[in-house]
Amino acid sequence: MFWYDHDLSGWGWFAMSASMILFWALIITAAVLLFRAVNRPHEHTAHTPAAPTPEHILGDRFARGEIDEDEYRRRLNALHAGSFTKP
């Protein structure tokens, strides 16, 4: 069967065994990394919510009933009247 001396020497068997182990290690590593990438929770860094504006906070307080309509309108007018400067 091996008419032209195609028999593997000891180093040939070692190289073949080492390359087989390396091949399967690469396949398993790629599978684990792919599994982790797919199951990782998605981070939406581009869609981070902006800080709420003072009008939004005031509207939330009015919606929860913490302040009445008169106080809401008074504070809203104070916000729209201009910024206060520190002395």
Side-chain angles (χ1 to χ4, degrees):
M1 189 156 171
F2 294 106
W3 297 323
Y4 299 107
D5 196 28
H6 289 125
D7 195 16
L8 291 176
S9 66
W11 287 109
W13 282 103
F14 173 75
M16 187 172 58
S17 300
S19 63
M20 180 67 92
I21 291 170
L22 183 64
F23 171 76
W24 284 111
L26 242 124
I27 295 295
I28 291 170
T29 302
V32 167
L33 290 176
L34 181 67
F35 180 76
R36 284 186 180 178
V38 168
N39 289 333
R40 182 178 49 191
H42 300 291
E43 299 174 6
H44 298 289
T45 56
H47 300 291
T48 55
T53 61
E55 289 88 1
H56 189 267
I57 294 172
L58 191 60
D60 286 344
R61 289 188 64 197
F62 179 62
R64 285 192 302 261
E66 293 178 8
I67 57 176
D68 60 354
E69 185 178 356
D70 292 334
E71 188 173 354
Y72 170 75
R73 296 215 183 269
R74 184 173 48 84
R75 290 184 182 204
L76 191 62
N77 287 335
L79 284 174
H80 288 252
S83 62
F84 297 105
T85 57
K86 291 183 180 180

